[in-house]
Amino acid sequence: MTVALSTAQKMGLAAWAGLLLVQVLWYSLYPPVAIPTWVAFALTVPALLLPLFSLPNVTRALLWVGILALFYFCHGVAEAWSSTGDRWLAFIEVALTLLLIGTLGAGVRRRSGAR
C-alpha cells in the first residue's frame, strides 16, 4: 500500500535528511576541540535516527523530529553566535530546523481547515 505524501511532508523529510547531513558534515569538517569526535557524533546523529522507528507513520516521525529539532535550533543559534569558521553550518542548521518546524505547522493548519 502506497501512501501519497503531501508537499509539507516531503519538505519535512528533506529537512530531516538535510539536518542529518549537516551534523555529519559539521563534525567531519570541524572536529570538536574539547571532546572526541565520536562523542559528538554519538550525541547528535543517533537522536536524529530515533524517529525512523515510527516512519511508517510519516506524520508521527516528523512530529518527533520536530520536537528534537528544537535542540538543534538552539545548538545552531549558539554556534552561529560564538563560532566563526563553522558559522555557515550553524546558519544552515537553523534554517533546516525552521523549515522542519514550519512544515509541521503547515500540515496542521491545512488539516484543521479541511474539517
Side-chain angles (χ1 to χ4, degrees):
M1 181 174 162
T2 305
V3 177
L5 298 177
S6 70
T7 304
Q9 288 176 327
K10 289 177 187 176
M11 288 177 55
L13 290 172
W16 180 12
L19 194 56
L20 183 60
L21 181 65
V22 164
Q23 298 309 309
V24 172
L25 186 64
W26 197 323
Y27 297 115
S28 297
L29 293 177
Y30 300 99
V33 177
I35 60 173
T37 304
W38 69 268
V39 173
F41 278 118
L43 290 173
T44 57
V45 173
L48 286 172
L49 297 177
L50 284 175
L52 287 174
F53 291 115
S54 61
L55 196 57
N57 185 344
V58 175
T59 305
R60 181 170 290 208
L62 287 175
L63 175 65
W64 281 109
V65 174
I67 293 168
L68 290 170
L70 297 173
F71 164 76
Y72 293 96
F73 175 79
C74 293
H75 175 259
V77 168
E79 288 295 325
W81 184 265
S82 63
S83 298
T84 54
D86 54 352
R87 185 171 287 164
W88 63 279
L89 284 166
F91 286 131
I92 293 172
E93 183 177 43
V94 168
L96 287 172
T97 57
L98 290 175
L99 176 65
L100 183 58
I101 294 167
T103 59
L104 291 172
V108 169
R109 189 173 354 144
R110 188 188 72 244
R111 234 186 250 132
S112 65
R115 287 183 182 187

